[in-house]
Amino acid sequence: MTLHDLLVDAAGELDDVETDLGPDGTVTWSRGGRPFATLAPDGASAAFCLDPAVAAAATRTPDVEPSSRDAGWVDFG
């Protein structure tokens, strides 16, 4: 199972999730017009929008770093 498969399965369990494929191949999942996850075109990394306190804690774990996107976003991969 790939990271893409895991994210598709998880998003499929939520109501009103929209999926967008960007021109560069980035997949973005949103609810109510607000993105909450992205998957890099190569499928090797993802970014998630978390509560800022949770995001700060997440960055103290291996393979997670703050994202350049915005406060609360972390890059995993």
Side-chain angles (χ1 to χ4, degrees), residues 5-34:
D5 295 337
L6 290 170
L7 291 172
V8 167
D9 287 349
E13 295 180 16
L14 302 171
D15 293 330
D16 304 321
V17 172
E18 301 164 3
T19 304
D20 180 61
L21 181 61
D24 66 349
T26 298
V27 180
T28 302
W29 288 271
S30 305
R31 286 180 81 186
R34 296 185 62 184

